[in-house]
Amino acid sequence: GRTWSDPVPLDGPPGTGLNLDMTEPCMAQTQTGDILCLSRPIYSPWVWESWSRDGGVSWEPTRRGAFPSYANTMLATASGTILVAGRMPGLGLHASLNGGLSWKHYQIGTDIWAMGDMYEVRPDVVLFVYMDSYNTLLRAQFIEVTSDGVRPMPHPE
């Protein structure tokens, strides 16, 4: 804790000017070592996408991401699938089987909130815990990652 690196802007040079519109970042590392950061936009429904190719030392200019979403959480599974859960459509889950280059989109609930977290409880089985928009209870879902995408899963034995 005695020394820290200098802050590094996620909207790398030449910046696009989105710094004031980037909040609630979530990140995952791809199997090639690149880091993908998705940030919540304030003035647009589409996530902002930032990439680092050198372990977070520097970042490429931010651009609009592949899907709309707010209040995200992100996880890279051991098999390399990247999952992003958040708002829109309803409670949405976005899966990339190729390191964030393309995405499959799923609606996994009618809640419009999210604010959750994901954890890989065993290979290709993910537990997603999140707030519901009805302000009642925390909710949880098990999600199975397959070679084609994801699917809901009953409680794993």
Side-chain angles (χ1 to χ4, degrees):
R2 291 180 185 261
T3 60
W4 298 87
S5 67
D6 290 333
V8 178
L10 291 182
D11 185 17
T16 58
L18 296 175
N19 285 325
L20 297 177
D21 193 30
M22 298 168 66
T23 65
E24 300 175 3
C26 58
M27 297 183 190
Q29 188 170 28
T30 68
Q31 288 192 314
T32 62
D34 295 337
I35 299 174
L36 168 62
C37 175
L38 297 179
S39 300
R40 174 185 174 175
I42 303 247
Y43 303 110
S44 167
W46 296 87
V47 294
W48 296 128
E49 179 178 306
S50 305
W51 286 91
S52 175
R53 312 288 180 190
D54 58 9
V57 174
S58 65
W59 294 85
E60 296 175 356
T62 298
R63 60 183 175 258
R64 189 174 78 171
F67 50 84
S69 193
Y70 290 158
N72 295 317
T73 185
M74 186 185 313
L75 172 75
T77 67
S79 65
T81 298
I82 299 175
L83 301 176
V84 179
R87 294 165 53 183
M88 289 193 268
L91 182 59
L93 180 67
H94 312 278
S96 177
L97 304 172
N98 58 7
L101 299 178
S102 65
W103 297 88
K104 290 186 176 187
H105 309 284
Y106 305 86
Q107 185 172 349
I108 61 172
T110 57
D111 307 271
I112 59 166
W113 214 244
M115 307 293 257
D117 206 359
M118 289 188 277
Y119 182 75
E120 190 170 22
V121 295
R122 67 177 198 225
D124 292 325
V125 176
V126 173
L127 174 63
F128 174 41
V129 179
Y130 58 95
M131 291 173 44
D132 72 353
S133 57
Y134 307 108
N135 296 317
T136 55
L137 304 171
L138 286 176
R139 297 181 183 207
Q141 294 187 37
F142 287 98
I143 299 162
E144 182 177 22
V145 177
T146 70
S147 60
D148 294 329
V150 300
R151 63 180 174 212
M153 166 177 200
H155 189 282
E157 300 298 325

